[in-house]
């Protein structure tokens, strides 16, 4: 009898263990189904694969005909390339000289200098088309380099510049004057922080505010708070979304360590909603609303522009619907919904992405422009989520401090920013903002199409991404033609053009003229020669073959 009971107990235990493992397996399967199919959707695999990509590059001959272009086309390209090179050396001499000197010792410059074009083409480009990283002044929508060349600024200072450089010169100058008497005394606050807090609460519709030194830090703190209050371990970020360079939000390429408590899931996906609905370890979901322009794809750069598959298209209605459904699931499961508005806050609508999409978050991070031109990160949130200690457990705290948090000069520039931002004149800028920028993008696209150029832009308000409509290996060359036309781009090249909102129609039309002229020059120089048999797939396959061959070669050597 006893034997029978023991056997039954064993079977019972076995069945429970089996059921548990089946459940765990099922949950794992659901998690994999909620990943985006692309490599960016598989952070761990991406990191592993990155380690296998061998370095190789094209010699001078192959540089011009890597797509199998005939000799006459390659010659055309070569002539165009060296003409551009001469123009750069003559026109940007001092700026280039200074950059070369600085690059010896500024590691960031070495990095950005190396990642402007696909690595196979890097050596030739760096030798003959060096770019300047120095400017001496800015005014209106223009910047001036050390040689006195004036460029239309399409860099947007990484997104900080929403209202034009002169605006921020004013906020910094007036702000500095207002806190001069206190100076850089830290720890104690300058009284204008009270008004900042009040204004940010009004804008965000949330209860409390904390100040940090960068957008990355603001995101770190928002996630830490979510983990603290939910007592759950994992954060969900969406495939491709950028949230700064903290390890937990950058689990893939770029981070030498795996991020064990991050799930990278697909955006706009039923499977993702199912995972959120059923798992019990998810503390928060991080949304970067900029992804509306390219859901599930990483922020584009020209360094990966090896073919023409880059695609961007902003469907506001579809993205709004997704955010609403996400909001509902997060509420249902007590998951903290964090909007990371470091980049798009203050760009889309007076109340930021929350207002623009009509969806309220539990925590919001701001940064960049809200500092009035100085370094900043801000977290706003519901009172219960912002609290960093427990009344009943004094040793259980959520620590977050920072030497320069709430620096008087930053708070003062922010104060000037917020005051002006809330004036009727600046608020009026947001009336018809999308219609204005959609119209401008449409006009540019029509001109490009009329000229038969294989280039189009996609936009989310004043954020533009350049896309290419016919398979080509050389799209990244466009950034060099654009610079020759006096258009300043950031190191990601044509992947992103950030317009400040003080661009008038007349300014934009000049940019459009120059953009079209640059694309025409590039076409005339043969870079967009196109073999009808060439597709994006054949380009990818050819590159994959090159990589495998070089990989085999290098492993044979070792
Ligand atoms: C959405 C988003 N979050 C966070 C960050 C990081 O901000 P910071 O560069 O100030 O650390 C960025 C920066 O580009 C961003 O775009």
């Amino acid at each position: 009898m006893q034997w029978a009971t023991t056997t039954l107990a064993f079977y019972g235990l076995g069945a429970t263990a089996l059921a548990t493992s089946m459940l765990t397996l099922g949950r794992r399967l659901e998690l994999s189904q909620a990943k985006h199919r692309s490599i960016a959707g598989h952070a761990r695999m991406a990191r592993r694969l990155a380690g296998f990509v061998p370095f190789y590059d094209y010699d001078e001959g192959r540089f011009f005909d890597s797509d199998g272009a005939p000799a006459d086309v390659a010659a055309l390209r070569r002539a165009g390339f060296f003409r551009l090179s001469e123009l750069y050396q003559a026109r940007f001499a001092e700026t280039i000289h200074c950059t070369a000197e600085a690059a010896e010792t500024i590691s960031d410059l070495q990095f950005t200098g190396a990642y402007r074009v696909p690595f196979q083409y890097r050596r030739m480009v760096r030798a003959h088309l060096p770019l300047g990283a120095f400017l001496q002044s800015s005014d209106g929508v223009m910047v001036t380099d050390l040689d006195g060349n004036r460029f239309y600024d399409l860099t947007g200072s990484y997104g900080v510049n929403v209202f034009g450089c002169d605006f921020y010169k004013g906020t910094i100058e007036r702000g500095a004057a207002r806190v001069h008497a206190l100076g850089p005394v830290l720890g104690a606050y300058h009284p204008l922080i009270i008004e900042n807090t009040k204004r940010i609460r009004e804008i965000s519709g949330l209860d409390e505010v904390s100040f940090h030194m960068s957008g990355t830090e603001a995101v770190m703190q928002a996630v830490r708070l979510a983990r603290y209050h939910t007592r759950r371990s994992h954060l969900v970020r969406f495939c491709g979304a950028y949230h700064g360079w903290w390890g937990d939000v950058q689990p893939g390429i770029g981070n030498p360590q795996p991020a064990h408590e991050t799930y990278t899931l697909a955006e706009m996906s039923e499977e993702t909603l199912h995972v959120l609905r059923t798992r019990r370890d998810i503390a928060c979901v991080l949304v970067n609303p900029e992804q509306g322009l390219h859901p599930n794809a990483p922020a584009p750069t020209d360094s990966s522009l090896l073919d023409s598959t880059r695609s961007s298209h902003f469907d506001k209605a579809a993205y709004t619907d997704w955010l609403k459904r996400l909001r509902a699931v997060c509420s249902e499961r007590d998951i903290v919904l964090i909007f990371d508005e470091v980049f798009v806050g203050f760009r889309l609508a007076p109340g930021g992405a929350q207002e623009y999409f009509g969806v309220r978050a539990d925590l919001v991070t701001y940064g960049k422009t809200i500092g009035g031109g100085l370094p900043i990160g801000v977290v706003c949130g519901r009172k219960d989520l912002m609290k960093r200690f427990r009344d009943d457990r004094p040793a259980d705290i959520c620590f977050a401090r920072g030497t320069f948090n709430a620096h008087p000069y930053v708070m003062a520039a922010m104060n000037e920013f917020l005051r002006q931002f809330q004036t009727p004149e600046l608020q009026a800028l947001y009336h018809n903002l999308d219609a204005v920028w959609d119209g401008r993008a449409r006009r540019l696209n029509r001109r490009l199409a009329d000229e038969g150029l294989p280039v189009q832009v996609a936009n989310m308000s004043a954020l533009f991404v350049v896309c290419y409509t016919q398979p080509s290996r050389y799209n990244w060359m466009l950034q060099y033609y654009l610079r020759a036309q006096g258009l300043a781009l950031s190191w990601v090249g044509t992947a992103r053009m950030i317009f400040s909102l003080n661009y008038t129609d007349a300014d934009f039309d000049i940019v459009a003229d120059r953009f079209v002229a640059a694309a025409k020059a590039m076409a005339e120089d043969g870079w967009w020669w196109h073999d009808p048999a060439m597709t994006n797939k054949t380009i990818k396959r050819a590159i994959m073959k090159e990589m495998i061959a070089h990989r085999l070669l290098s492993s044979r050597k070792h």
Side-chain angles (χ1 to χ4, degrees):
M1 182 66 191
Q2 188 164 359
W3 177 85
T5 317
T6 315
T7 312
L8 262 180
F10 264 127
Y11 277 127
L13 270 177
T16 314
L18 190 68
T20 313
S21 1
M22 293 298 284
L23 204 67
T24 314
L25 212 67
R27 291 263 183 273
R28 280 202 151 273
L29 197 66
E30 284 168 359
L31 207 53
S32 340
Q33 282 165 345
K35 287 181 187 218
H36 192 252
R37 275 173 294 127
S38 65
I39 193 70
H42 295 75
R44 226 173 270 188
M45 199 191 296
R47 288 177 56 247
R48 232 173 272 148
L49 279 179
F52 282 99
V53 175
F55 178 77
Y56 64 95
D57 60 5
Y58 299 142
D59 62 19
E60 200 174 317
R62 185 106 167 94
F63 180 89
F64 296 107
D65 66 5
S66 61
D67 54 354
D72 58 328
V73 173
L76 210 57
R77 290 174 178 172
R78 180 188 292 272
F81 184 81
F82 285 107
R83 203 169 40 246
L84 212 49
S85 172
E86 273 169 34
L87 181 145
Y88 270 47
Q89 308 283 354
R91 200 184 280 174
F92 310 135
E94 178 60 19
T95 315
I96 290 172
H97 172 74
C98 231
T99 307
E101 191 182 327
E104 300 274 317
T105 45
I106 300 181
S107 358
D108 202 39
L109 257 187
Q110 292 165 17
F111 176 77
T112 52
Y115 285 88
R116 287 181 196 278
V117 303
F119 65 82
Q120 295 89 339
Y121 301 92
R122 182 193 292 171
R123 182 160 48 102
M124 278 285 285
V125 169
R126 293 186 76 183
H128 300 287
L129 293 177
L131 288 180
F134 284 80
L135 293 171
Q136 57 168 309
S137 62
S138 64
D139 59 286
V141 292
M142 314 283 295
V143 288
T144 304
D145 73 6
L146 305 189
D147 299 271
N149 299 296
R150 286 169 64 70
F151 296 82
Y152 279 85
D153 182 12
L154 307 181
T155 73
S157 291
Y158 295 121
V160 169
N161 182 3
V162 178
F163 298 118
C165 291
D166 297 320
F167 175 92
Y168 298 91
K169 287 181 191 176
T171 53
I172 292 171
E173 250 170 59
R174 286 191 308 277
R178 285 175 61 201
V179 292
H180 177 75
L182 178 62
V185 174
L186 302 174
Y189 293 134
H190 189 284
L192 47 71
I193 198 174
I194 295 173
E195 187 183 322
N196 288 353
T197 310
K198 182 177 147 281
R199 287 180 183 271
I200 294 170
R201 288 181 59 225
E202 271 166 27
I203 292 162
S204 67
L206 290 158
D207 308 319
E208 289 190 16
V209 180
S210 68
F211 297 102
H212 307 273
M213 293 167 285
S214 65
T216 298
E217 276 195 19
V219 169
M220 283 166 71
Q221 170 62 354
V223 171
R224 182 178 276 202
L225 284 167
R227 285 176 166 156
Y228 176 67
H229 287 288
T230 58
R231 303 264 184 218
R232 300 177 197 152
S233 52
H234 279 67
L235 77 86
V236 166
R237 68 179 273 275
F238 292 116
C239 175
Y242 185 68
H243 295 283
W245 61 282
W246 171 43
D248 279 25
V249 290
Q250 199 192 36
I253 295 174
N255 178 359
Q257 282 295 107
H260 293 297
E261 293 181 329
T262 299
Y263 294 134
T264 298
L265 303 185
E267 205 162 23
M268 307 185 86
S269 138
E270 290 305 322
E271 287 79 9
T272 291
L273 294 179
H274 178 73
V275 164
L276 295 175
R277 229 176 255 126
T278 49
R279 288 193 79 89
R280 274 182 274 172
D281 56 352
I282 295 172
C284 59
V285 173
L286 257 178
V287 174
N288 176 355
E290 179 212 344
Q291 288 299 111
L293 189 51
H294 41 76
N296 290 309
T301 77
D302 279 6
S303 70
S304 55
L305 201 56
L306 274 161
D307 60 18
S308 302
T309 44
R310 180 158 92 198
S311 80
S312 280
H313 167 68
F314 179 42
D315 181 341
K316 186 176 176 187
Y319 200 69
T320 302
D321 180 59
W322 159 248
L323 291 179
K324 289 197 162 148
R325 294 196 311 139
L326 194 58
R327 171 70 278 179
V329 175
C330 287
S331 300
E332 193 183 303
R333 301 291 301 166
D334 283 330
I335 295 170
V336 179
L337 180 62
I338 306 172
F339 272 15
D340 178 2
E341 298 206 30
V342 168
F343 187 34
V344 297
F346 302 91
R347 241 174 206 286
L348 303 176
Q354 289 192 99
E355 176 185 330
Y356 188 73
F357 293 106
V359 177
R360 305 223 60 90
D362 302 308
L363 293 173
V364 176
T365 55
Y366 297 115
K368 299 194 190 266
T369 197
I370 196 178
L374 294 182
I376 191 66
V378 174
V379 181
C380 318
R382 277 178 11 213
K383 198 169 187 58
D384 58 317
L385 290 174
M386 294 293 282
K387 189 160 179 177
R388 300 183 190 175
F389 57 94
R390 294 179 205 281
D391 295 324
D392 55 342
R393 301 235 162 75
D396 184 359
I397 56 174
C398 181
F399 187 81
R401 304 286 299 152
T403 302
F404 288 106
N405 289 0
H407 190 296
Y409 283 79
V410 178
M411 288 299 110
M414 178 190 284
N415 189 263
E416 289 291 326
F417 172 88
L418 291 168
R419 279 183 175 189
Q420 280 207 56
F421 174 70
Q422 291 189 303
T423 57
E425 298 82 66
L426 272 207
Q427 296 282 301
L429 262 182
Y430 293 90
H431 296 152
N432 289 328
L433 189 63
D434 277 5
V436 167
W437 285 99
D438 290 352
R440 289 173 180 175
R442 244 192 332 267
R443 281 209 309 275
L444 175 56
N445 279 336
R446 204 173 310 128
R447 289 187 59 184
L448 289 164
D450 288 349
E451 296 283 352
L453 294 162
V455 188
Q456 290 282 283
V457 295
N459 73 300
M460 175 193 238
S461 209
L463 298 176
F464 282 44
V465 174
V466 179
C467 300
Y468 299 89
T469 58
Q470 133 199 321
S472 169
R473 276 190 174 217
Y474 289 100
N475 296 320
W476 46 266
M477 267 303 290
L478 181 59
Q479 58 173 298
Y480 294 93
Y481 284 87
L482 291 171
R483 287 186 177 97
Q485 284 290 333
L487 302 179
L489 301 168
S490 75
W491 68 281
V492 299
T494 62
R496 167 133 327 143
M497 302 195 301
I498 306 175
F499 290 92
S500 46
L501 304 188
N502 60 330
Y503 262 87
T504 61
D505 273 335
D507 294 325
F508 186 85
D509 287 345
I510 297 174
V511 170
D513 288 345
R514 293 181 180 204
F515 193 99
V516 172
K520 273 170 88 171
M522 173 149 162
E524 278 157 17
D525 285 343
W527 298 101
W528 280 315
W529 166 85
H530 180 235
D531 173 355
M534 183 168 67
T535 63
N536 288 320
K537 225 184 218 165
T538 62
I539 295 176
K540 274 204 181 81
R541 227 177 269 149
I543 290 167
M544 190 61 78
K545 269 194 198 153
E546 288 172 8
M547 285 189 184
I548 293 171
H550 281 91
R551 180 79 206 168
L552 289 175
L553 202 69
S554 68
S555 46
R556 240 179 260 146
K557 273 188 200 152
H558 291 115

